[in-house]
Amino acid sequence: MTHSANYTQKPRRGQGPARRAARTLAFVLPVMLVLSGTLAVTRVNWSGSSSDSILTASSQNVSARAKSRAPQDVLRDKLLLELQEKDPGIALTHLQQEMHERPSLAKHCVSLARALGRAAVQAYGPSRAQSFARPVCDTAFATGVATAARG
């Protein structure tokens, strides 16, 4: 009977209990860390007020602030900011461009131009504000300047 001298048994490469436990831990540990971190952040009172609510993000005033604004209101704020940062002439030019690009806002052109006229009087005075007048929305800008100068 001949025996091989270099006969060795191969190591077992199966799913042993230690290997299964390590894989389970590798999957469960990150999930638990994320969940515990999320819960910890939601329990912190970030607002600084002494309210007893645990989840400050679920307060009732969040939905009130989330309402979308009308496109003409967004445009008005943009143009008024531009008027203050640059000058009324640039704001009027951009108003005219917006009226050509978005005809649905044309019905608000007069009120937007008047608001620009009133803001120009506050920023530059009546005579200088009138020098920026353009034929945008008829004479609405000039009307806004005139009403602000009288009032």
Side-chain angles (χ1 to χ4, degrees):
M1 174 162 127
T2 60
H3 292 290
S4 170
N6 55 0
Y7 177 77
T8 58
Q9 190 175 11
K10 290 186 178 181
R12 195 175 113 220
R13 291 198 161 248
Q15 290 271 344
R19 188 176 200 119
R20 276 192 303 251
R23 284 188 179 176
T24 303
L25 188 62
F27 174 76
V28 172
L29 187 62
V31 173
M32 293 304 295
L33 288 173
V34 168
L35 286 176
S36 64
T38 303
L39 292 174
V41 169
T42 58
R43 289 189 175 270
V44 174
N45 185 358
W46 296 101
S47 67
S49 65
S50 62
S51 68
D52 293 329
S53 69
I54 292 176
L55 297 174
T56 57
S58 66
S59 64
Q60 293 175 359
N61 61 357
V62 171
S63 61
R65 283 184 276 147
K67 291 181 182 174
S68 64
R69 297 178 53 213
Q72 68 270 14
D73 295 335
V74 172
L75 179 60
R76 178 181 292 115
D77 291 346
K78 176 184 156 191
L79 292 172
L80 289 173
L81 182 66
E82 199 169 51
L83 181 138
Q84 292 180 359
E85 290 178 350
K86 296 175 184 171
D87 67 55
I90 294 174
L92 285 169
T93 300
H94 288 150
L95 173 62
Q96 191 169 18
Q97 289 171 349
E98 286 289 330
M99 292 303 116
H100 288 295
E101 291 173 10
R102 299 192 312 186
S104 62
L105 291 175
K107 61 185 172 188
H108 303 286
C109 187
V110 171
S111 66
L112 291 170
R114 282 186 188 152
L116 289 174
R118 289 189 297 269
V121 169
Q122 290 177 351
Y124 296 96
S127 60
R128 180 137 188 253
Q130 190 61 41
S131 70
F132 291 106
R134 304 252 171 91
V136 179
C137 310
D138 296 326
T139 57
F141 179 81
T143 305
V145 170
T147 56
R150 280 184 279 183

